[in-house]
Amino acid sequence: QVQFVESGGASVQSGGSLRLSCRASGFSLNHYPVGWFRQAPGKEREGVSCRSSNDGSTYYADSVKGRFTMSRDYDRNMVYLQMDSLKPEDTAVYYCATDFEIRCREDTVRMIPQYDYRGLGTQVTVSV
């Protein structure tokens, strides 16, 4: 059974940093892509970042490029999202997810919210 457990969300001030963690189980991160998406109150879900299982390439939404870094721990089957220079508009619930069909490419970051498997999310709040 595919499962994700996200953690690390918190309230921080603008300009601060957070590191989100996601523990995956029921499948191997070596075989399928993994991604992060977020949902802010009253807004549509937004793909944030994904990492390809083919070559380890990582892609980001323009809104977070240069500020967020996604990484993976193969041994622990963990995924991380380092978020720096946070802005109030980054406030959202962040989810990690995977899909067995959708490939992770630069042009499919927007599709991450459609991934079939996701966790319950972790809240990130950035204040001015």
Side-chain angles (χ1 to χ4, degrees):
Q1 182 180 359
V2 176
Q3 288 187 331
F4 292 100
V5 178
E6 301 94 338
S7 61
S11 296
V12 297
Q13 289 190 326
S14 181
S17 297
L18 280 176
R19 187 193 193 209
L20 305 184
S21 300
C22 173
R23 179 177 298 279
S25 61
F27 75 105
S28 173
L29 293 174
N30 292 326
H31 299 145
Y32 299 103
V34 62
W36 290 91
F37 71 91
R38 63 187 181 185
Q39 186 164 25
K43 295 187 178 181
E44 293 187 357
R45 293 175 178 176
E46 177 188 20
V48 173
S49 176
C50 67
R51 189 177 181 99
S52 170
S53 59
N54 292 335
D55 58 7
S57 296
T58 307
Y59 303 98
Y60 300 92
D62 288 343
S63 58
V64 306
K65 204 170 290 184
R67 300 187 298 120
F68 289 13
T69 304
M70 184 176 175
S71 61
R72 191 167 63 176
D73 184 325
Y74 289 91
D75 292 337
R76 295 184 176 184
N77 227 36
M78 295 283 294
V79 180
Y80 305 97
L81 186 67
Q82 178 67 39
M83 307 187 296
D84 299 318
S85 302
L86 283 162
K87 304 176 182 180
E89 50 263 43
D90 294 319
T91 295
V93 178
Y94 285 73
Y95 303 84
C96 59
T98 191
D99 194 274
F100 295 166
E101 299 292 335
I102 300 173
R103 301 288 187 183
C104 169
R105 301 190 308 261
E106 187 168 13
D107 63 341
T108 62
V109 172
R110 59 182 174 78
M111 298 178 67
I112 298 171
Q114 300 176 33
Y115 283 9
D116 283 339
Y117 304 97
R118 66 182 70 91
L120 297 179
T122 185
Q123 175 71 49
V124 172
T125 303
V126 184
S127 59
V128 175

